Structures are given as C-alpha cells and as structure tokens.
Amino acid sequence: MSRMDSNSLQTRVGFASEQGRRETNDDFVAAREAETGARAVPEAVAVIADGISGPGGRLAAETVARGFLDGYLNQSPTLGVDRAAARTLAAMNRWVHGQGRQDRELRDMATTFSALILRGRAAHVVHVGDTRIYRLRAGRLQCLTQDHTHSHPDMRHVLYRAVGLEETVRADYGTHDLKAHDRYLLCCDGVHATLDAARLHALLAERSAPEAAARRIVD
C-alpha cells in the first residue's frame, strides 16, 4: 500500500508464502525503501520471483530478487528508473544463465521476475515471466503485467521469457501514476491461477493490514 504527501512516500508491506503441493517452494519476495537522503525523491522497491521448477529454481529466484534490490538501489538515480532497472536485471540474467551452463546440477535454471518501483509520484513496473502485479484503486482492480506464456491451451504453463532462460533478457517496462491509498499485489501463478480477479478484488478491498491481507490470499 502507498500513502503520499507533498514531501514523502509512505508504504506498508505484507508477505505470505507457502510451499503448497510442490516438493519445494521456489518463490521469493522482498521489499526495501531507499535510505533517507540517498535519493533526491522518496523511493521504494518490491520484487517477486518464482523459480522454474528444478534444482536451481529457488536459487535463481532468491538470487535475482536480492540482487536486483541491491543493484538497483546502488545505481545512480540520474540514470532513470528504466535504465537502472535494465542494467541491473541484465547483470542478474548473465549470472543465472552462466550458472545454468557451467553447473550440471543447475542446468536450465531460470526464474520469473516482477518489480514494482515507487519513485516520487510514479509507479514503475519491470516484468518478465508470469508473476503478476495488480493495482487496486478506487474500487477497481487492474493487472499491470502481461504473462509471457504460450497462448496454446496445452502450453499456457510454459514460459517463453524468463531471467536466465537465454543469454539476454527482455523485460517489459511500464510507468503509471501513483496516488494515495493505492494498493498493490505482487503474486505468482500459485495465486492468480487459483483465485480469479473477482476473488482477488474482494480480498484486497477488505482493506485489512497488508500482512493479514497477504495471509488471507495465500490461505
């Protein structure tokens, strides 16, 4: 959730994750605000990654999520959000792709990745894969990302873009206006493949605390 006045950006964040029926939990989520004084304008970043099933899935998800937070927030603000995010994600892609080629036990490791960057009065979205970012504003729920999966019914679970899948990564980038009391949901397919938009809308519209809302959605 976000709340703004003329001089500040205030956010409240909640997390929830469960293994479900899979043998491992390959999801990773994190959020961080820029240190006070480190940026000319207030900034906060939330990320989610869902590793592709296999021995390297969890490692890819956690490494990319943590690495993006560290790398992006250490980039010069003068680069702009799009360039700083692209540089950081490209570096993470090189690492994941390289590990998958060098280590047989991590062969074909890759991960989805979605980042929400709140900077000043704008919300920036960086996305690759089928994790999603939703925004609830004034009673309307909108998905801000597009899944990078094949359209054929038998292939809808197969990604054609992910971090580490190829030598280079092509992420979607978008920018949106930011308003007070916007509520954002970052989730993996374990959520959006199970709960339809109407159910997600109802859960988010309850306006419970972020931690409680995240737990109710996962439950």
Side-chain angles (χ1 to χ4, degrees):
M1 293 193 302
S2 65
R3 181 162 60 89
M4 302 179 299
D5 58 32
S6 59
N7 299 310
S8 67
L9 168 69
Q10 297 180 334
T11 60
R12 296 172 61 198
V13 181
F15 304 99
S17 181
E18 292 290 344
Q19 181 173 317
R21 297 178 180 178
R22 294 182 178 180
E23 295 182 359
T24 60
N25 186 347
D26 295 326
D27 306 329
F28 194 85
V29 62
R32 188 183 304 168
E33 292 187 5
E35 295 182 6
T36 303
R39 291 287 204 263
V41 294
E43 193 165 8
V45 184
V47 298
I48 186 170
D50 183 5
I52 293 177
S53 296
R58 168 68 184 197
L59 176 62
E62 182 170 352
T63 301
V64 171
R66 290 184 182 276
F68 185 87
L69 281 177
D70 290 339
Y72 173 80
L73 290 173
N74 282 320
Q75 296 270 9
S76 170
T78 60
L79 279 176
V81 173
D82 54 345
R83 291 177 62 194
R87 285 188 181 186
T88 306
L89 195 58
M92 300 314 305
N93 185 81
R94 287 193 297 271
W95 186 88
V96 174
H97 184 72
Q99 290 296 309
R101 297 186 67 180
Q102 295 172 17
D103 190 333
R104 289 185 177 180
E105 294 184 0
L106 301 177
R107 186 176 180 180
D108 299 327
M109 68 185 294
T111 183
T112 70
F113 178 79
S114 299
L116 175 69
I117 301 169
L118 308 181
R119 184 175 184 181
R121 292 187 176 273
H124 305 260
V125 171
V126 182
H127 166 73
V128 57
D130 65 351
T131 39
R132 292 184 183 178
I133 299 177
Y134 291 88
R135 181 185 67 193
L136 179 66
R137 172 185 290 175
R140 179 176 178 236
L141 184 68
Q142 180 181 3
C143 185
L144 304 180
T145 56
Q146 180 176 348
D147 295 347
H148 298 141
T149 55
H150 293 279
S151 58
H152 191 280
D154 295 335
M155 298 284 286
R156 286 178 180 170
H157 65 290
V158 178
L159 294 166
Y160 60 83
R161 282 161 64 181
V163 180
L165 202 60
E166 298 178 328
E167 291 185 5
T168 60
V169 61
R170 182 166 60 92
D172 293 344
Y173 171 79
T175 182
H176 309 268
D177 64 316
L178 181 62
K179 294 185 177 181
H181 310 300
D182 283 346
R183 172 168 272 201
Y184 294 90
L185 170 67
L186 284 71
C187 64
C188 67
D189 60 352
V191 169
H192 65 71
T194 306
L195 302 177
D196 60 22
R199 185 63 176 139
L200 286 175
H201 181 278
L203 289 165
L204 291 171
E206 292 175 357
R207 289 289 172 178
S208 52
E211 194 74 34
R215 173 48 52 189
R216 289 204 63 184
I217 289 170
V218 169
D219 287 345

